[in-house]
């Protein structure tokens, strides 16, 4: 290929076949690239939708006291059967999980002594 010689008819046909295969491959790659761009755009638009949806979520309007009660009901129950040393880590883990959701839930988890 990298020569100044004039190709024979057979070489020209072979080169033309190679070019057709490479052009088809290039076209497929461009289509895949466009599909990837579309997926990326779809994810970006989904993210743009989820932020405003989270902002107007009904849980945002729920009073802190109600959320604290919900958190409290999710905690393992303390009883005289189980010593506090066994329940301690489980209880803390159950409280830490909702506290990782967002800063508001973390503030609530820390603000209500009944949860600790």
């Amino acid at each position: 290929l990298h020569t100044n010689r004039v190709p024979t008819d057979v070489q020209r046909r072979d080169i033309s076949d190679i070019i057709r295969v490479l052009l088809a491959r290039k076209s497929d790659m461009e289509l895949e690239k466009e599909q990837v761009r579309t997926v990326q755009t779809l994810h970006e638009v989904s993210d743009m939708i989820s932020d405003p949806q989270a902002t107007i979520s009904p849980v945002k309007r729920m009073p802190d006291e109600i959320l604290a009660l919900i958190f409290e009901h999710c905690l393992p129950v303390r009883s005289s059967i189980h010593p506090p040393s066994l329940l301690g880590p489980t209880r803390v883990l159950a409280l830490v999980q909702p506290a990782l959701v967002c800063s508001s839930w973390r503030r609530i988890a820390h603000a209500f002594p009944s949860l600790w």
Side-chain angles (χ1 to χ4, degrees):
L1 284 174
H2 300 280
T3 179
N4 286 330
R5 287 184 315 148
V6 177
T8 65
D9 289 341
V10 173
Q11 289 172 329
R12 275 191 26 239
R13 190 176 57 242
D14 290 344
I15 292 169
S16 294
D17 290 344
I18 291 170
I19 291 171
R20 268 193 294 284
V21 168
L22 291 174
L23 285 172
R25 187 171 164 200
K26 179 183 175 193
S27 177
D28 291 344
M29 291 173 76
E30 287 172 346
L31 180 61
E32 288 175 18
K33 181 180 172 184
E34 193 57 40
Q35 288 171 341
V36 168
R37 255 195 229 126
T38 300
V39 169
Q40 288 173 336
T41 303
L42 179 62
H43 287 296
E44 290 168 4
V45 170
S46 294
D47 289 345
M48 291 170 61
I49 291 169
S50 69
D51 287 343
Q53 282 179 331
T55 303
I56 62 171
S57 171
V59 76
K60 292 266 191 181
R61 294 188 304 274
M62 192 174 294
D64 291 353
E65 295 79 11
I66 301 296
L67 277 174
L69 284 172
I70 293 169
F71 294 168
E72 191 171 347
H73 284 285
C74 293
L75 295 175
V77 178
R78 290 184 179 154
S79 70
S80 57
I81 299 170
H82 297 86
S85 61
L86 292 178
L87 264 180
T90 305
R91 192 170 173 87
V92 169
L93 181 61
L95 181 59
V96 166
Q97 289 172 337
L100 295 175
V101 171
C102 65
S103 60
S104 298
W105 285 23
R106 186 170 35 262
R107 180 182 46 74
I108 293 167
H110 291 285
F112 287 84
S114 61
L115 297 173
W116 297 96

